[in-house]
């Protein structure tokens, strides 16, 4: 089931990376982030290429269509986002597990997925600063506005380093660097964990916010909202990929993970199910789900098993069946 065409953004703008970072430099306030920026992009550094930023309005789900099998081609991997540049004929996107205010906490002490991604791609911080300065209502740095999803896509952003966040006592990170542990670490430990990329690679980023902090049993409205958000973001990635490649047959690949299940307390099985459904509905060719650990693969496998029983139903009926499964909200992990 492929998303109907056309699908166009609310607005799109192209920034020359060199000018963007000169005119709107990142404002990292925490000492560890300042130390990393000095390592990977000191004053006078060159920044190549152009960054294309687009913002999209929420798209209606094709509720009457039968969604079929649980694939696009789904790859479950117990690792972290690789940010590999895609081969010819394919455009790859990596999720940003966004706040409704795009990259809002990038400069402070927190180091969850959103903030880590910005630190490795410091031009993302400059995009936020530039959009705030422009004050264009169509291009506000918001991934959600007036109760609906407004995904933000960013094409061609330099990834200037890779930062290890795993637990490694020998490298002076006995508690890792993820989340709140980052702020407690020494600058020396953080810099030791930082590997500059020479030359930087280029990433495409898809920023969508998951449903936040529910309680008790998921409602039909909450499930519909989460699915609509993912579907809108994935359909936007497909449309933007076609625009970038100039080829309607280009393959589209999305890299995601346990979206909305950390600080927001979402249910891992349910949120995986909804992402798989959204990818299918949006016509995504390859969906790569990164779980970090082997143990975290299990909710994805359960999600695929549960979806297998719903393949013959229209999407609207599948949503109702998922609500009847009685998924419960979890609690925030504090990060």
């Amino acid at each position: 089931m492929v998303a109907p065409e056309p699908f166009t953004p609310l607005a799109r703008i192209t920034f020359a990376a060199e000018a963007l970072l000169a005119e709107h430099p990142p404002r990292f306030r925490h000492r560890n982030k300042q130390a990393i920026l000095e390592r990977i992009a000191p004053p006078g550094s060159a920044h190549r290429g152009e960054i294309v930023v687009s913002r999209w309005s929420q798209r209606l789900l094709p509720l009457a269509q039968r969604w079929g099998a649980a694939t696009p081609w789904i790859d479950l991997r117990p690792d972290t986002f690789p940010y590999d540049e895609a081969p010819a004929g394919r455009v790859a996107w990596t999720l940003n597990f966004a706040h409704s205010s795009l990259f809002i906490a990038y400069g402070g002490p927190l180091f969850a997925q959103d903030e880590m991604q910005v630190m490795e791609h410091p031009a993302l911080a400059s995009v936020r600063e530039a959009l705030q300065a422009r004050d264009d209502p169509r291009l506000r740095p918001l991934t959600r506005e007036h109760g609906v999803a407004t995904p933000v896509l960013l094409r061609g952003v330099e990834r200037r380093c890779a930062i290890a966040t795993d637990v490694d006592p020998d490298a002076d990170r006995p508690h890792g660097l993820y989340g709140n542990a980052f702020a407690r670490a020494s600058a020396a430990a953080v810099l030791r964990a930082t590997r500059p990329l020479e030359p930087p690679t280029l990433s495409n980023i898809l920023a969508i916010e998951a449903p936040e902090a529910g309680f008790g049993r998921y409602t039909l409205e909450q499930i519909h909202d989460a699915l609509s958000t993912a579907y809108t973001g994935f359909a936007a990635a497909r449309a933007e990929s076609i625009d970038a490649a100039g080829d309607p047959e280009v393959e589209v690949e999305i890299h995601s993970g346990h979206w909305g299940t950390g600080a927001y307390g979402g249910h891992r099985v349910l949120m995986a199910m909804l992402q798989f459904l959204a990818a299918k509905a949006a016509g995504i060719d390859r969906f790569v789900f990164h779980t970090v650990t082997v143990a975290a693969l299990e909710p994805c496998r359960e999600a695929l098993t549960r979806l297998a029983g719903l393949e013959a139903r229209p999407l609207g009926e599948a949503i109702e069946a998922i609500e009847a499964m009685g998924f419960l909200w979890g609690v925030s992990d504090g990060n």
Side-chain angles (χ1 to χ4, degrees):
M1 179 169 59
V2 176
E5 298 293 349
F7 186 30
T8 57
L10 291 167
R12 182 186 286 122
I13 188 171
T14 300
F15 294 104
E18 192 79 36
L20 174 68
L21 278 99
E23 296 169 11
H24 302 280
R27 299 180 180 181
F28 292 109
R29 300 182 303 278
H30 191 269
R31 57 179 173 79
N32 286 344
K33 292 182 177 178
Q34 292 170 348
I36 293 173
L37 186 65
E38 181 64 28
R39 167 75 61 84
I40 66 173
S45 297
H47 301 274
R48 64 186 170 115
E50 294 181 332
I51 300 171
V52 181
V53 181
S54 56
R55 186 170 179 238
W56 303 71
S57 59
Q58 184 160 313
R59 190 159 218 206
L60 294 176
L61 287 166
L63 297 175
Q65 295 187 35
R66 297 187 184 278
W67 64 273
T71 54
W73 188 80
I74 293 174
D75 185 6
L76 306 180
R77 300 182 187 176
D79 59 9
T80 57
F81 291 154
Y83 297 103
D84 294 336
E85 295 190 24
R90 185 186 307 162
V91 179
W93 296 85
T94 302
L95 248 66
N96 172 268
F97 296 175
H99 186 275
S100 58
S101 183
L102 185 69
F103 312 139
I104 186 173
Y106 83 81
L110 186 62
F111 207 58
Q113 190 271 344
D114 184 354
E115 296 78 32
M116 179 178 175
Q117 191 174 73
V118 177
M119 191 73 257
E120 294 187 340
H121 303 75
L124 295 176
S126 293
V127 168
R128 175 179 170 84
E129 300 296 340
L131 295 183
Q132 286 187 305
R134 287 178 58 85
D135 195 28
D136 181 342
R138 301 169 305 158
L139 271 173
R140 290 192 179 102
L142 298 174
T143 65
R144 192 171 181 86
E145 189 173 21
H146 305 309
V148 298
T150 56
V152 176
L153 277 64
L154 308 100
R155 278 172 23 206
V157 187
E158 282 189 328
R159 186 185 186 217
R160 299 188 70 94
C161 69
I163 303 171
T165 60
D166 59 320
V167 173
D168 188 346
D170 294 336
D172 197 23
R173 47 179 196 272
H175 305 290
L177 294 179
Y178 192 80
N180 295 307
F182 178 84
R184 297 191 293 267
S186 67
V190 167
L191 290 176
R192 188 174 178 182
T194 301
R195 175 172 59 87
L197 300 179
E198 296 291 349
T201 57
L202 295 178
S203 302
N204 300 317
I205 305 299
L206 162 57
I208 52 176
E209 184 184 37
E212 182 178 5
F215 178 77
R217 179 171 168 162
Y218 276 84
T219 65
L220 189 63
E221 180 180 6
Q222 289 169 334
I223 292 170
H224 189 283
D225 180 53
L227 180 58
S228 295
T229 297
Y231 169 68
T232 300
F234 297 168
R238 183 175 185 274
E240 194 71 358
S241 299
I242 292 171
D243 181 80
D247 178 6
E249 301 301 319
V250 67
E251 281 194 353
V252 182
E253 177 177 280
I254 289 179
H255 293 258
S256 187
H258 284 299
W259 171 59
T261 65
Y264 284 10
H267 193 288
R268 285 193 164 192
V269 174
L270 173 62
M271 294 300 289
M273 291 175 73
L274 297 181
Q275 288 190 78
F276 297 152
L277 274 175
K280 178 68 176 181
I284 301 305
D285 300 287
R286 295 165 56 90
F287 194 79
V288 188
F289 200 104
H290 302 268
T291 65
V292 183
T293 67
V294 172
L297 289 170
E298 187 54 36
C300 302
R301 295 185 179 124
E302 181 179 342
L304 290 173
T305 298
R306 287 177 179 254
L307 285 174
L310 304 176
E311 291 177 2
R313 302 192 185 191
L315 185 60
E317 290 186 15
I319 295 171
E320 293 176 354
I322 291 170
E323 187 274 333
M325 293 178 186
F327 289 105
L328 300 177
W329 281 90
V331 296
S332 172
D333 65 4
N335 286 312

